[in-house]
Amino acid sequence: MAKPISFFVHHQGRGHAQRTMAIVRELPASQPVSVLTADPSLFDGFERDIEIVPLPNMIGAPVPTPALYDQPTPAVMHCVPLGLAPMRQTMRRILDHLDDRGTGLFVIDVSAELALLARIASVPAIKIRMHGNRSDAGHTAAYDACTGMLAPFDARLEQPDYPDWARAKTFYSGGLCTSSQRRDDRAEARRALGLPAERELVVAITGGGGAGTPYAPLTMAARAAPDTLFVTVGPLHREGHETDFANLVNHGWVSHTSDYIAAADIVIASAGDNTVHEIMRTGRPYICAPEWRYFDEQQRKAESLAAVGAAIHLPRWPGDLEGWRDLLERARALDIECQRGLHDPHAAARAAGWLMSRMDTLWQEETRQGRRAAPQVSIAATGT
């Protein structure tokens, strides 16, 4: 029987879970799969038969004493407060599961600390790559500890400062879009959404991982371009002093974001992985307004998109009318041919195939011959 593949899925936002489901769908039906996550509801309705292992939600857990709280964080770790029972329970549950199932590959999306834990526990790990300023000791150690990294984007979007030794152990799946729905035709999408057929349409999109699209700057956009219809999708961040305009309409949460992307003449969106690749798949002028994320993840991704000409990087929302008019003109002039190929319709299948190949490479002798005599390792001899 094939060794199981276990996934750790971070529960912030929806993207980590959606990416995992897209990849798992492409794994062989006979491949045992388990998912460890602090929010099992992210996998409600998933059609594949997988084992879900609920983990404690450690976010916000109070540290018991001021002295424990004052202890400095080790350089090779990011978030390891002392004295937390939920943290011990999480680590124990993960280790017990990996041990009980005999996991052959642990795919981590995402946690630098769990990559180190997997190596200490003698479990081969794969880390999902994300953009950002990740040259710190924690990320470097995690990359070093893994048997490989999976980058769910095109190699052309790689950061120039990503070290060569890490690049050599990274598999680039191509742009992985987790949405199965698609409607590319602009006119058809507008009819389906009840939007004007001929009016210039700018769609501003925010996903579930942040605070929402800032509404005040969009009111300035509506004033700057009164003949353009601005439609927002997803949550909005309101400050309470904004003036509404007839050409600025909020559609809130929607079930098919891809329809709005298809309907748009220009898309304003953050740099979330799935949003980026939905836009690349459809091909629309893209103003990338990165949201704050740890390690400047979205800023670096926006820089990479702008470097290949696939988007306009918007580090700061315009606060004046001329700033908005200039931005919209730049978007209208963007050559969307630069987006071609940054989405790969087979990316999830490529990622799944690579995971299976890593499993085969790491375990093939045991698989072919059963347990056999292996090189004897003396822990004492390592000097640790």
Side-chain angles (χ1 to χ4, degrees):
M1 181 178 180
K3 282 185 169 293
I5 296 179
S6 298
F7 290 78
F8 169 80
V9 177
H10 200 290
H11 61 286
Q12 176 65 27
R14 296 179 173 86
H16 304 291
Q18 289 176 335
R19 178 162 50 222
T20 297
M21 286 187 280
I23 294 172
V24 169
R25 285 188 185 99
E26 301 294 336
L27 291 172
S30 60
Q31 174 60 50
V33 174
S34 60
V35 169
L36 302 99
T37 180
D39 187 0
S41 69
L42 291 168
F43 292 84
D44 286 353
F46 184 47
E47 68 278 7
R48 170 78 185 254
D49 183 20
I50 61 174
E51 180 181 7
I52 301 289
V53 181
L55 300 175
N57 187 346
M58 299 181 294
I59 294 179
V63 176
T65 71
L68 289 169
Y69 189 72
D70 284 344
Q71 298 306 301
T73 300
V76 293
M77 297 181 179
H78 297 142
C79 183
V80 283
L82 293 173
L84 296 188
M87 181 166 283
R88 291 193 297 277
Q89 293 160 7
T90 295
M91 299 304 116
R92 183 184 304 113
R93 196 165 297 175
I94 291 172
L95 288 175
D96 284 348
H97 176 78
L98 298 177
D99 194 26
D100 291 344
R101 299 296 179 273
T103 293
L105 207 59
F106 188 27
V107 183
I108 302 168
D109 192 355
V110 287
S111 167
E113 287 85 357
L114 288 187
L116 299 179
L117 181 72
R119 184 57 191 250
I120 293 168
S122 199
V123 178
I126 299 292
K127 194 175 191 308
I128 301 295
R129 273 289 317 293
M130 301 177 74
H131 285 81
N133 297 320
R134 301 179 191 270
S135 60
D136 59 277
H139 280 106
T140 302
Y143 297 158
D144 197 22
C146 286
T147 62
M149 272 85 73
L150 172 57
F153 50 84
D154 191 281
R156 286 172 290 174
L157 296 181
E158 185 57 271
Q159 297 171 199
D161 56 354
Y162 186 54
D164 289 342
W165 66 264
R167 190 186 293 253
K169 58 193 293 189
T170 299
F171 176 77
Y172 298 90
S173 70
L176 200 164
C177 183
T178 63
S179 299
S180 57
Q181 303 282 340
R182 69 176 298 174
R183 192 195 307 268
D184 291 340
D185 184 75
R186 183 182 281 104
E188 181 185 354
R190 291 193 181 195
R191 284 195 299 270
L193 297 172
L195 294 169
E198 301 299 331
R199 192 174 186 181
E200 182 178 56
L201 175 64
V202 175
V203 174
I205 300 172
T206 303
T213 298
Y215 187 63
L218 291 177
T219 65
M220 295 296 292
R223 289 178 61 189
D227 294 331
T228 298
L229 176 62
F230 294 83
V231 172
T232 71
V233 172
L236 292 174
H237 174 70
R238 295 177 181 264
E239 299 183 30
H241 53 69
E242 298 90 346
T243 299
D244 293 325
F245 291 88
N247 63 324
L248 174 56
V249 182
N250 178 33
H251 284 202
W253 285 109
V254 299
S255 57
H256 300 312
T257 304
S258 56
D259 287 354
Y260 285 83
I261 294 172
D265 293 299
I266 298 170
V267 178
I268 303 174
S270 65
D273 275 339
N274 197 55
T275 298
V276 166
H277 293 125
E278 278 211 70
I279 296 169
M280 297 301 103
R281 177 175 71 180
T282 307
R284 293 292 183 270
Y286 177 19
I287 299 172
C288 185
E291 296 184 65
W292 187 93
R293 288 293 186 273
Y294 291 100
F295 303 101
D296 276 342
E297 174 205 335
Q298 291 206 6
Q299 290 288 351
R300 297 304 306 273
K301 194 186 307 177
E303 291 172 5
S304 294
L305 287 163
V308 298
I312 295 170
H313 178 200
L314 186 67
R316 181 183 60 82
W317 293 81
D320 60 279
L321 303 183
E322 285 306 314
W324 270 106
R325 289 169 186 147
D326 176 68
L327 177 63
L328 293 174
E329 279 302 316
R330 288 168 57 203
R332 293 176 188 122
L334 196 67
D335 181 7
I336 60 173
E337 281 299 307
C338 296
Q339 299 175 353
R340 188 177 299 278
L342 293 178
H343 160 255
D344 186 339
H346 307 295
R350 282 167 45 81
W354 180 74
L355 291 178
M356 294 302 297
S357 72
R358 289 301 296 146
M359 178 91 84
D360 290 343
T361 298
L362 293 167
W363 294 100
Q364 63 180 342
E365 292 304 317
E366 182 182 77
T367 302
R368 291 175 182 174
Q369 301 175 18
R371 294 187 179 273
R372 63 186 179 91
Q376 297 299 305
V377 177
S378 171
I379 299 300
T382 66
T384 57

